[in-house]
Amino acid sequence: MLVDQQVRAGRREWTGLAVLALPTILIGLDMTVLHLAAPELSEGLNPSAAQLLWIVDIYGFLVASFLVTMGTLGDRIGRRKLLLIGAAAFAVASLLAAYATGVAMLIAARALLGIAGATLMPSTLSLISNMFHDPNQRRFAIAVWMTNFSVGGMIGPLVGGVLLQHFWPGSVFLVGVPVGVVLLIVGPLVLPECRDPRPGRLDPLSVVLSIVTVLPVVYGFKQVAQDGVHLTPLLAVALGLGFGVAFVRRQFRLTAPMLDLRLFSRPGFSVALGGQTMGLFVVTGTQFLVLQYLQLVLGLSPLTAGLWVLPAMVAGVVGTLLAPAAAARLHPGRVMAGGFALAVPGLVLISLADSASGLTLITTGFAVLSFGVQASLALTNDVIITSAPPERAGSASGVGETGAELGNALGVAAFGSVATAFYGARMAGDALPEGVRPELADAARSTLAGAADAAGRLPGTAGDELLAAARAAFTGGMHAAALCGAGILVLLTLASLRLARRSPDDAAGKTENASAPGRAGTAERDGVEIGPAAEG
């Protein structure tokens, strides 16, 4: 069916998209500048190792924990209103972090930044779905939205380096202030207000249960990635899953649930959510191992290793921007399947790299992987949003972004665990050269970094032999993880093809009907609220 020319986006909507790009760039930039500033912050505030981890991680923990809550809140109070409230809170928290006088104050400011940041992603994505009704324009707008995360990540080191060279370490947090100010001034002029016309009462217990479900799960898997499998993170994950069961049971009992679990019965929503979560799972886990390989196996500096993964970031941006054009000619499910299938050879190339000269295979394989998966993810966001009723767009985007955060955390933990298990098995027994002292042998068998340190303490050729064995063991673990990832992508390809075989309406849960004019929901233009139109 042809889309009425009146529903195509005009200058105001594209200007609004440019405004919505600001918070997405900010989110991508925030993490990279913090990692760059962490050493200088340590010198200035002298935090303990545990406190430094909380400074870095508390932001991500709380973003993931509050996404569903904030998406649902936006449906109730208005997505533009929530975005502006979040922008103001982010600016204030950025000032507090920049001028923090102690570790506790900085951790508290980072926590507030995380809660404020959780308002930005679901608000921006759900607003895009309401601003762009034409499917092709909407897909391109979402692709631009996704690209800005990568842009923020790429310019982060440059912006952070300039600020750290000329100002105090806390100045890296000030980048959030002008973004918040611009949003508060320009947002009301170019962004529409959209909300659920019949939101129902927000259930406080559901809010608490959603937060305590996600927070311990993300914490547990990040701890596994950092310290390996042990009791504390496993208990945290089990606790989160227990709260998750309670959350689901409560949603089924409520007449106005915080999260409409019927969304998961829609094939488009469930396949796209699974694709987004597991696609990021594979990419993030692979990147974690690739960066270690470049530094610890090939011996590159952190800066040089970062430069060698830039082609993959650029390839991901290209894939993101090309996918909407392909989806204009093919069913989105087929494009998603093609992206996931194209990414499989990238992981195969990574699995062929050896421990001595694998730079070309690694960088090429990672670029192919990034291109394919990011092309698919450019469409999963669109399917997730348009599979949901328009009055639930904020909630759906919150669920999608929560899936993305879980995919990131799980990917690092799972790929790291596979590589660590393989490494430990290869380094056991008589794999080490003779004459290695027990304490050095234990360190070498635990991690590649420990083996490198132990090798430096051994005389003659024993150190070289130990390091060569450790590098080969790590590379073998990376191969095993890459092949596991390839298997996951094959399953995602098949699921996407199955989605493509359905009729467009069945696949997306009446997607285009939901995105067309006259759909249920409210919007405001120039302060005038448009009520729910009757559905024909």
Side-chain angles (χ1 to χ4, degrees), residues 234-313:
L234 293 180
L235 288 176
V237 172
L239 181 65
L241 294 177
F243 283 125
V245 171
F247 174 79
V248 169
R249 294 180 65 180
R250 183 162 183 82
Q251 301 316 294
F252 278 122
R253 290 199 301 267
L254 294 174
T255 55
M258 174 181 166
L259 176 62
D260 187 356
L261 298 177
R262 291 174 298 178
L263 289 174
F264 292 91
S265 67
R266 299 179 178 226
F269 183 87
S270 55
V271 171
L273 179 61
Q276 179 158 292
T277 302
M278 298 311 296
L280 285 170
F281 173 95
V282 172
V283 170
T284 306
T286 303
Q287 178 176 292
F288 173 70
L289 296 181
V290 163
L291 287 171
Q292 289 193 70
Y293 173 88
L294 294 175
Q295 295 176 71
L296 298 176
V297 175
L298 298 186
L300 302 181
S301 68
L303 176 60
T304 305
L307 292 174
W308 276 108
V309 299
L310 275 180
M313 299 180 70

Side-chain angles (χ1 to χ4, degrees), residues 20 70-71 73-90 116 119-120 122-124 126-127 180 183-184 187-189 191-195 524 529:
L20 293 178
M70 293 304 180
L73 184 61
D75 289 338
R76 283 165 163 75
I77 70 171
R79 293 147 196 164
R80 184 182 69 182
K81 179 183 290 187
L82 180 66
L83 176 65
L84 298 180
I85 292 172
F90 202 97
T119 69
L120 303 180
S123 297
T124 52
S126 56
L127 280 169
L183 273 173
L184 289 171
L189 303 177
L191 300 177
E193 182 60 284
C194 312
R195 65 170 66 88
E524 291 178 1
E529 184 177 275

Side-chain angles (χ1 to χ4, degrees), residues 3 121 131 167 192 295 304 311 321 383 392 426 446:
V3 179
M121 289 188 283
M131 292 161 57
F167 303 100
Q295 295 176 71
T304 305
L321 294 177
V383 176
R392 293 285 186 177
R426 286 283 297 270
S446 61

Side-chain angles (χ1 to χ4, degrees), residues 199-211:
R201 186 178 66 88
L202 184 63
D203 180 45
L205 182 56
S206 293
V207 171
V208 174
L209 286 173
S210 71
I211 294 170

Side-chain angles (χ1 to χ4, degrees), residues 452-524:
D453 181 66
R457 303 184 186 186
L458 293 176
T461 60
D464 294 335
E465 292 176 11
L466 173 60
L467 190 56
R471 285 173 170 171
F474 179 87
T475 304
M478 182 180 69
H479 293 169
L483 293 176
C484 290
I488 292 171
L489 292 180
V490 169
L491 294 177
L492 293 179
T493 300
L494 297 176
S496 299
L497 284 174
R498 185 179 179 186
L499 176 66
R501 293 192 189 102
R502 297 175 177 269
S503 68
D505 283 351
D506 289 340
K510 308 291 184 184
T511 294
E512 302 310 334
N513 291 342
S515 63
R519 61 186 184 169
T522 63
E524 291 178 1

Side-chain angles (χ1 to χ4, degrees), residues 13-323:
E13 285 76 19
W14 292 111
T15 303
L17 179 63
V19 173
L20 293 178
L22 294 175
T24 54
I25 292 174
L26 177 63
I27 291 168
L29 185 148
D30 184 76
M31 287 307 298
T32 52
V33 297
L34 178 61
H35 290 156
L36 196 66
E40 294 197 32
L41 287 170
S42 297
E43 292 180 8
L45 297 176
N46 195 29
S48 66
Q51 288 174 328
L52 182 60
L53 286 175
W54 279 110
I55 291 172
V56 174
D57 290 337
I58 190 69
Y59 174 85
F61 288 161
L62 292 183
V63 166
S65 302
F66 277 86
L67 281 169
V68 173
T69 297
M70 293 304 180
T72 304
L73 184 61
D75 289 338
R76 283 165 163 75
I77 70 171
R79 293 147 196 164
R80 184 182 69 182
K81 179 183 290 187
L82 180 66
L83 176 65
L84 298 180
I85 292 172
F90 202 97
V92 171
S94 297
L95 285 171
L96 293 174
Y99 293 99
T101 56
V103 174
M105 181 177 176
L106 181 56
I107 292 174
R110 289 284 295 165
L112 180 57
L113 280 170
I115 297 172
T119 69
L120 303 180
M121 289 188 283
S123 297
T124 52
L125 186 55
S126 56
L127 280 169
I128 288 173
S129 74
N130 281 273
M131 292 161 57
F132 295 89
H133 300 300
D134 175 74
N136 295 329
Q137 287 188 325
R138 184 183 62 245
R139 292 178 188 128
F140 180 74
I142 291 176
V144 171
W145 176 83
M146 286 182 59
T147 298
N148 288 312
F149 288 104
S150 299
V151 170
M154 286 188 284
I155 67 174
L158 176 62
V159 173
V162 171
L163 291 172
L164 290 172
Q165 184 173 347
H166 296 286
F167 303 100
W168 75 104
S171 64
V172 297
F173 297 111
L174 291 177
V175 293
V177 177
V179 171
V181 172
V182 170
L183 273 173
L184 289 171
I185 295 174
V186 182
L189 303 177
V190 297
L191 300 177
E193 182 60 284
C194 312
R195 65 170 66 88
D196 184 350
R198 294 175 292 274
R201 186 178 66 88
L202 184 63
D203 180 45
L205 182 56
S206 293
V207 171
V208 174
L209 286 173
S210 71
I211 294 170
V212 297
T213 293
V214 178
L215 181 58
V217 171
V218 174
Y219 168 79
F221 280 109
K222 286 199 173 188
Q223 288 299 111
V224 168
Q226 179 181 304
D227 301 322
V229 178
H230 58 277
L231 183 60
T232 301
L234 293 180
L235 288 176
V237 172
L239 181 65
L241 294 177
F243 283 125
V245 171
F247 174 79
V248 169
R249 294 180 65 180
R250 183 162 183 82
Q251 301 316 294
F252 278 122
R253 290 199 301 267
L254 294 174
T255 55
M258 174 181 166
L259 176 62
D260 187 356
L261 298 177
R262 291 174 298 178
L263 289 174
F264 292 91
S265 67
R266 299 179 178 226
F269 183 87
S270 55
V271 171
L273 179 61
Q276 179 158 292
T277 302
M278 298 311 296
L280 285 170
F281 173 95
V282 172
V283 170
T284 306
T286 303
Q287 178 176 292
F288 173 70
L289 296 181
V290 163
L291 287 171
Q292 289 193 70
Y293 173 88
L294 294 175
Q295 295 176 71
L296 298 176
V297 175
L298 298 186
L300 302 181
S301 68
L303 176 60
T304 305
L307 292 174
W308 276 108
V309 299
L310 275 180
M313 299 180 70
V314 174
V317 170
V318 173
T320 299
L321 294 177
L322 290 180

